Amino acid sequence: MSEHNRYSPLLPPLPDPVAGEHHWGRLYGSSKALTVSQAASRAGCPVLILTRDSLSASRLLEELHFFRDPDIGLELLPFPDWETLPYDPFSPYQDIVSERLKTLSRLPNARHVVLVASITTLMHRLMPRDYLLSHSLVLEQGQKIDLDDFRKQLTEAGYVFTAQVMQHGEAATRGSLLDIFPMGASRPFRIDLFDDEIDSIREFDPESQRSMDTMSSVHVLPAREVALIDEGIARFRQGWRARFEGNPNQCPVYRDVSQGLAPAGIEYYLPLFYPETNSLFDYLSDDTLLFLDENVGDAADTFWKDIGDRYEQMRHDRERPLLPPEEMFFSPEQVSERIKPMSRIAITSMMQEDLPGAVNFATTLPAPLPIDARSGNPLAIVKKFLNEFEGRILFVAESAGRRETLLELFSENAIKPTVVSDWHDFLSRRIQLGLTVSILEHGAQIDDPPFAVISESQLFGERVMQ
């Protein structure tokens, strides 16, 4: 493709909604997020973006939030990693599990949504979609419930009863009051019962314990990704005895689960609780558009090798035998088979030529514009760029305090940007030089139409972004 046939990230060409791989090249810095955001806004179907690791997923999600048009209504969902190494003998934080379950519960009915996950997270097997949906509860004002039965339901769903609810997965009862912090919720809820009827539902502050806004209903997801119900425990015990030799009662994990407890690291026995497992693909519709970030395939191969190495190192502990990798994870080959029927776009910063469905974009590698505080003219490189660049420019500070610091520094050097609320405010007001606040790791430089987004890392290096 010639240099004259490059596309603008503001209007990327969508592929036909049929299976096959397309290739998008010359996407540098955060222009990748801008292009994907524009494409997802027009796609009319769910979008899944796979990155090489969790850090890349987190950064890409922040950049997508920056470029997303709030008027479009595009929902951005993370699917965080457990943040444990394969076969670790401890469990992920409850807040992580809460975010994962919230996302999984949203996906089956979501259409105008972008899901961001790392390939390593995708390779973990998940609870069946039907189990999650069938074991989620909706409580509404005016609904009648039996408090004792509901306590039992919450216990089976993995909720822990405490004296005071402080974090996800906890519940407490005091007379006619039921406090619960559901997985996926931003705040806990206080449910006031009148006899056996829900009289009111209010959010409350876990620190002060003061009630807040009234709600008409609350959605209660399971507190764990493993099924610690009677059926799940029975299946776990049967599966354990079928797979591992020796007396199972000598294994603490087996003893705890048999008593309805969740030992640390129980997530790495998840397949034993279900007749079958699902992948993240099973929670998405068949017409999902897939974006593959750079080096995703290599990252999958490396992770699969790491899984095998960890398994060999840790499998000889008789008190904590391990499921083999093929039972707990999806191999790179299995992932490739799942994505083969999907319409997908491979993204890279390299020029794409001689490939089917190849598209290149009019973007340039963001220029380093270091501010040298020890120099007599600390903004010399920045001012040179401003004088030479023919398009519009938006500076992005990482906080309101940093914005004020930049404004003062710019003022001392006769640079007068207009403060804007966000990226779309900058675009709509046709401002030539703007300044806003957001977390943006990478800048973007576009040739058509010409504009530049300059992040703090371009001005101050990685020191500010840590």
Side-chain angles (χ1 to χ4, degrees), residues 142-147 193-199:
Q143 178 181 341
K144 291 187 176 182
I145 64 171
D146 183 290
L147 186 56
L193 299 174
F194 182 75
D195 289 334
D196 61 350
E197 183 176 306
I198 297 177
D199 187 53

Side-chain angles (χ1 to χ4, degrees), residues 245-256:
E245 297 179 353
N247 183 358
N249 289 308
Q250 294 180 350
C251 302
V253 173
Y254 182 88
R255 294 199 304 268
D256 284 349

Side-chain angles (χ1 to χ4, degrees), residues 57-130:
S58 177
R59 288 176 172 174
L60 179 59
L61 191 65
E62 289 174 347
E63 293 173 355
L64 288 169
H65 275 288
F66 176 77
F67 289 114
R68 177 182 59 174
D69 186 345
D71 295 329
I72 296 295
L74 185 67
E75 185 176 12
L76 302 179
L77 291 177
F79 189 64
D81 192 81
W82 279 341
E83 295 185 7
T84 60
L85 294 175
Y87 301 113
D88 264 350
F90 49 85
S91 295
Y93 290 116
Q94 279 293 87
D95 288 352
I96 291 176
V97 177
S98 172
E99 191 72 42
R100 286 167 60 92
L101 291 174
K102 178 183 178 181
T103 293
L104 290 177
S105 69
R106 287 282 301 115
L107 290 179
N109 298 315
R111 293 296 300 168
H112 208 44
V113 63
V114 176
L115 175 65
V116 183
S118 69
I119 186 66
T120 53
T121 304
L122 175 86
M123 291 170 69
H124 288 71
R125 293 179 182 269
L126 302 176
M127 65 164 65
R129 163 179 156 167
D130 290 344

